Amino acid sequence: MADDKRAGGGGEKLSATGRFALTGRILAVNILPLLIMGGGLFYLDSYRTQLINERFKLARIEAQITAEALAGARRERQEALLVQIGKEQRMRLRMFDAEGRLTADSFALAEPSFRFNDINDDDWQQRFSRWLDRTVDTIVSAEAVQDYDEPEAQEADAWPELARARELGLSQVRLYDWSDGTPVITAAVPVGLQGATLLTVRNAVDITESVRAARTTLFVAMLLVMAASALLSLFLARTIVTPLRLLARAAVRVRQGRDREVEVPRLPQRSDEIGLLARAVSDMTGALRQRIDAVDSFAADVAHEIKNPLASLRSAVDTLPRVEDPALRAELIQIAAHDVRRIDRLVTEIAAASRVDAEISRAKLERVDLADLFENIIRSREDRGMNGGRRIELDAARGGTNRVMGVPTQLERVAENLIDNAVSFSPPEGVVRVSIRQAGRHIITEVCDEGPGIAPERREDVFRRFHSDRPEGESFGNHSGLGLAIGRAIAEAHDGALTAEGRRDGEEGACLRLTLPAAP
């Protein structure tokens, strides 16, 4: 009793501990995706870089197209183009001659198409956005970008990209950073063949605004959703843990076995997985009790079946010393030997029946071709002369179309039992027909004999343990009555079925049908 108390207390302790573990897991599972979503804050930095790279390409192309339009045009036309393109594209365009002197500036020729932001006028949201930008840049170790400053001398050599474009004769693009954190993209490109160059400047505030808006919205939403998720997780943990603790207590009482009538709560009001679990545990408990009752019944049946040959054996052994007639003594010895063989057969079959479920649960399922299996068994029986003059015909398609997933040794035992049963009931020179075919997702095997058949009301009786209804003339005790019972147990363990039916052709005889799921 002390052991039971310790076990019960441990179970309660485990359930209490499991509550906190489960709550923590629920919180982790619900909050982790939000944290991953928070990683989008850093992904947006990568997205910003991609946008800037695209603007680099666009700035180079715009500068080249503008340079081609300006090349060869008169000065008045060039100035008009600078103003028009600057307004349309919100850029500042400057022309420099071959000596590097500024010859035209779109901002000087007309009203500036954009103005740089003064950070002193920013509100708290913009300041928070800049702080968030700096934080993300620090975490991702973003490469530092040079600040944008207008050079005092309006000459080409004051711009590194212009100097390089003049030197190489190729377009150059460069990234700067304005004081408010927005990118400034400049592009320098040669114009014509006289050494003139063009410089375009664009403050790509739209990139920063879109990234900041998305980042700020995502950050605020993540905080709000994380708080709501934490509250919902705690509520969810409560709705899960409470019924689980009820189930745990009931399971402890069932394990202790003190009260056979322990009711495992089925939680009919719960239609979710917890309710399914409660009903599954309740059904499992009922099945366990049925299995215990079946074991008790099986033990009683075994005791009864073994008691009969033991009584006969004891009678023969007790009588033997008092009998002097040699013929009668030989008969008694023969009876005793027969009873010993019968007990040995019973013990062997009983052991096999009790191990079926355990062996199948431990074994690894393999692909088994039933056509090959039955063909090998039939050939083996013929070689050993076990058919007593009966002929066994096999009708099955070849080419691996009759494969099932199962334990080969167990399926071989079923096949041997079915054929042995059919041979024993078929008359001498009779024919046992074995047909194997596929029907949808199942493989159906029928073993038919030419015996007296089985009455419809007795077809389930043949699968009862120790039921033996042998043909006339067969000696008593040569069969244990467990063969078909074992066969059905093996079939059901393979998610199949074993049934007894009459012959479909209307002839006298019986058919045993084995149905198994086809291998995928």
Side-chain angles (χ1 to χ4, degrees):
M1 296 298 290
D3 293 339
D4 288 343
K5 291 180 179 179
R6 287 194 296 269
E12 292 298 319
K13 184 177 180 180
L14 283 174
S15 64
T17 305
R19 175 184 58 176
F20 300 107
L22 187 58
T23 301
R25 291 176 185 176
I26 292 176
L27 284 170
V29 168
N30 283 278
I31 293 178
L32 182 60
L34 297 176
L35 296 178
I36 295 176
M37 183 180 72
L41 295 173
F42 307 105
Y43 168 75
L44 289 175
D45 186 76
S46 174
Y47 174 64
R48 173 177 175 271
T49 302
Q50 294 176 7
L51 290 179
I52 291 177
N53 291 336
E54 291 297 326
R55 290 298 176 87
F56 262 46
K57 298 177 183 178
L58 179 62
R60 188 186 302 274
I61 294 174
E62 287 177 339
Q64 291 174 347
I65 293 175
T66 303
E68 292 178 1
L70 295 173
R74 292 191 299 273
R75 183 178 180 83
E76 294 79 5
R77 177 59 179 166
Q78 288 180 343
E79 292 178 352
L81 286 174
L82 292 177
V83 172
Q84 179 182 356
I85 296 174
K87 288 183 177 180
E88 292 178 353
Q89 302 298 326
R90 295 181 59 83
M91 291 191 302
R92 183 176 184 177
L93 295 89
R94 280 174 273 202
M95 283 278 294
F96 296 85
D97 60 15
E99 285 74 26
R101 295 188 299 269
L102 178 66
T103 60
D105 184 350
S106 63
F107 274 23
L109 296 173
E111 184 72 17
S113 57
F114 72 90
R115 297 184 184 279
F116 288 104
N117 179 50
D118 186 357
I119 60 175
N120 296 320
D121 298 333
D122 289 346
D123 55 18
W124 70 270
Q125 291 180 334
Q126 293 172 318
R127 290 193 294 271
F128 173 75
S129 297
R130 286 202 304 274
W131 170 83
L132 194 58
D133 289 342
R134 291 193 298 270
T135 301
V136 172
D137 290 342
T138 301
I139 294 176
V140 300
S141 300
E143 184 178 353
V145 180
Q146 181 180 343
D147 292 336
Y148 178 81
D149 291 314
E150 279 286 339
E152 295 181 0
Q154 292 293 329
E155 298 178 354
D157 291 339
W159 301 86
E161 54 270 39
L162 267 176
R164 192 165 180 79
R166 287 161 56 85
E167 177 185 354
L168 301 177
L170 300 174
S171 58
Q172 302 291 319
V173 182
R174 186 163 182 173
L175 176 66
Y176 294 93
D177 191 22
W178 184 242
S179 58
D180 64 350
T182 58
V184 178
I185 301 175
T186 64
V189 61
V191 179
L193 302 176
Q194 305 303 319
T197 51
L198 170 68
L199 177 68
T200 66
V201 179
R202 168 177 283 168
N203 184 204
V205 295
D206 56 326
I207 295 178
T208 303
E209 289 175 352
S210 62
V211 172
R212 283 179 177 175
R215 184 177 287 163
T216 303
T217 302
L218 182 62
F219 181 75
V220 174
M222 186 186 68
L223 292 179
L224 295 176
V225 175
M226 188 176 296
S229 179
L231 295 176
L232 291 175
S233 298
L234 293 174
F235 170 76
L236 179 62
R238 180 182 179 86
T239 61
I240 291 176
V241 171
T242 300
L244 286 182
R245 295 182 70 184
L246 292 175
L247 291 175
R249 292 194 186 100
V252 169
R253 291 198 300 271
V254 171
R255 178 177 58 83
Q256 290 174 344
R258 295 176 181 175
D259 186 3
R260 180 176 173 82
E261 300 303 323
V262 173
E263 288 293 336
V264 177
R266 297 183 63 85
L267 304 180
Q269 73 279 8
R270 298 287 294 260
S271 59
D272 55 6
E273 288 77 2
I274 295 296
L276 293 176
L277 174 63
R279 290 183 282 278
V281 172
S282 178
D283 294 339
M284 181 184 66
T285 303
L288 178 62
R289 289 168 178 163
Q290 292 178 1
R291 180 61 64 90
I292 293 173
D293 293 340
V295 170
D296 293 340
S297 175
F298 183 66
D301 291 342
V302 168
H304 175 72
E305 291 297 322
I306 293 181
K307 188 175 181 180
N308 290 334
L310 280 177
S312 176
L313 177 61
R314 179 178 179 180
S315 176
V317 172
D318 290 344
T319 306
L320 188 60
R322 299 192 297 270
V323 175
E324 297 181 357
D325 184 2
L328 186 55
R329 289 175 62 87
E331 184 178 351
L332 290 173
I333 292 174
Q334 184 178 0
I335 292 174
H338 180 273
D339 289 335
V340 170
R341 289 194 299 272
R342 184 181 173 192
I343 292 174
D344 179 70
R345 187 181 302 108
L346 279 172
V347 171
T348 302
E349 294 290 345
I350 289 168
S354 63
R355 291 196 305 265
V356 168
D357 290 338
E359 289 181 355
I360 292 179
S361 64
R362 290 194 300 264
K364 181 180 180 180
L365 299 184
E366 303 176 15
R367 290 179 179 269
V368 180
D369 193 316
L370 292 183
D372 293 342
L373 179 67
F374 274 88
E375 184 179 19
N376 293 334
I377 292 175
I378 293 171
R379 185 182 300 113
S380 175
R381 290 179 62 91
E382 290 175 349
D383 293 342
R384 290 179 291 168
M386 298 178 62
N387 296 330
R390 286 86 168 174
R391 189 171 76 259
I392 302 178
E393 296 179 353
L394 176 61
D395 178 17
R398 302 298 178 180
T401 60
N402 298 310
R403 291 179 179 175
V404 299
M405 297 300 295
V407 182
T409 56
Q410 299 293 343
L411 294 178
E412 182 179 355
R413 178 182 298 177
V414 178
E416 184 70 43
N417 286 344
L418 295 181
I419 294 177
D420 183 72
N421 183 81
V423 168
S424 66
F425 279 97
S426 292
E429 307 300 329
V431 178
V432 174
R433 291 179 173 84
V434 180
S435 65
I436 305 174
R437 58 188 172 86
Q438 183 169 2
R441 297 183 178 180
H442 292 83
I443 305 298
I444 297 178
T445 304
E446 289 185 340
V447 181
C448 301
D449 59 48
E450 295 181 347
I454 307 173
E457 65 275 8
R458 300 180 59 187
R459 287 175 182 170
E460 280 300 310
D461 294 341
V462 300
F463 297 103
R464 287 192 294 108
R465 291 191 302 267
F466 305 112
H467 176 84
S468 184
D469 187 7
R470 307 309 304 169
E472 295 182 4
E474 184 174 307
S475 60
F476 175 76
N478 288 335
H479 292 82
S480 64
L482 287 172
L484 294 182
I486 294 175
R488 170 171 280 188
I490 295 174
E492 292 176 349
H494 285 79
D495 297 327
L498 180 61
T499 57
E501 301 177 358
R503 291 180 52 153
R504 289 185 293 174
D505 56 9
E507 297 292 335
E508 188 177 26
C511 288
L512 294 176
R513 174 180 290 189
L514 173 65
T515 304
L516 295 173

